[in-house]
Amino acid sequence: NQMTGTISERLVEDGQFVNQGDILYTISHEEQSMQLTSLENQWSDCVEREEMLKLYEAWLQGGEDVTLNVEANPYGYELDTRKRLFELRKENLELSYSKEIFLEEDRKLQLESLAVQEMYSVTEELEACRQTGNQLEQQIEMLRKTVEDATVKATVSGTVNLVSELV
């Protein structure tokens, strides 16, 4: 891998003996470091969202009450809101059946349909979140290698020559 840029730090002098693996100089990589931080933040956000969606999915499947610590995961509010909205939609459906004479079986089918639709929606969101997370992980790995390449190390032990011409 090669990286172009401005040498930001020279750690050796002409005529200096170095061992294989010693750092010779570093290339400025502030822009890549900022990009890396941004991608890592996006990935972390994606992981937190996936955690919320999994909890919501579990709640839909079993009805067990689940919560997220909002201080630990900012999507805790969204989880609570989704649960309340789903319950309101169920109540609305129940009310519509109480005003008209419908068979109990029809009411059950409508409630099951509501749950299935919501599960399908959550499954799609989870899949999209996972794909985004995977893409971010790949981008992060590439940028980490780029930043790592900004540190130039001696490939062999020996005496350094012509370092002054690099700067």
Side-chain angles (χ1 to χ4, degrees):
N1 292 336
Q2 292 185 354
M3 181 175 177
T4 59
T6 305
I7 294 175
S8 59
E9 184 178 18
R10 181 178 65 177
L11 302 169
V12 294
E13 298 295 327
D14 282 336
Q16 180 180 339
F17 182 84
V18 295
N19 293 308
Q20 181 179 0
D22 285 354
I23 298 174
L24 304 177
Y25 55 93
T26 58
I27 299 172
S28 178
H29 59 279
E30 286 83 19
E31 184 179 325
Q32 290 86 354
S33 293
M34 288 188 316
Q35 285 178 315
L36 182 59
T37 299
S38 174
L39 287 173
E40 288 170 336
N41 289 337
Q42 290 174 45
W43 180 82
S44 178
D45 184 65
C46 190
V47 168
E48 290 170 339
R49 180 161 182 73
E50 184 177 345
E51 178 186 9
M52 181 275 298
L53 289 168
K54 285 179 182 177
L55 286 173
Y56 183 54
E57 182 180 52
W59 180 80
L60 285 170
Q61 289 173 342
E64 252 183 65
D65 193 27
V66 292
T67 58
L68 266 176
N69 179 346
V70 177
E71 291 175 11
N73 188 323
Y75 288 101
Y77 290 120
E78 183 179 341
L79 175 63
D80 292 341
T81 302
R82 282 175 173 254
K83 289 176 2 186
R84 275 183 274 162
L85 286 173
F86 183 76
E87 289 296 333
L88 287 172
R89 288 170 55 203
K90 278 177 43 179
E91 288 174 22
N92 189 34
L93 188 62
E94 293 278 3
L95 285 172
S96 70
Y97 276 101
S98 68
K99 292 180 182 178
E100 300 181 24
I101 300 176
F102 283 99
L103 297 173
E104 177 66 16
E105 200 59 36
D106 287 343
R107 183 186 68 76
K108 285 181 183 177
L109 285 173
Q110 289 296 324
L111 288 171
E112 286 175 15
S113 175
L114 180 65
V116 167
Q117 290 170 3
E118 191 68 12
M119 282 295 296
Y120 180 76
S121 173
V122 170
T123 301
E124 284 185 327
E125 284 184 75
L126 265 169
E127 184 56 34
C129 192
R130 287 180 184 127
Q131 287 177 1
T132 300
N134 289 339
Q135 290 170 351
L136 287 168
E137 283 177 337
Q138 290 171 359
Q139 292 174 355
I140 287 168
E141 186 59 31
M142 287 175 31
L143 262 176
R144 281 185 179 151
K145 287 181 185 201
T146 300
V147 170
E148 187 179 292
D149 288 345
T151 302
V152 179
K153 297 178 180 180
T155 56
V156 295
S157 297
T159 304
V160 176
N161 292 313
L162 305 175
V163 170
S164 58
E165 291 181 16
L166 294 173
V167 182

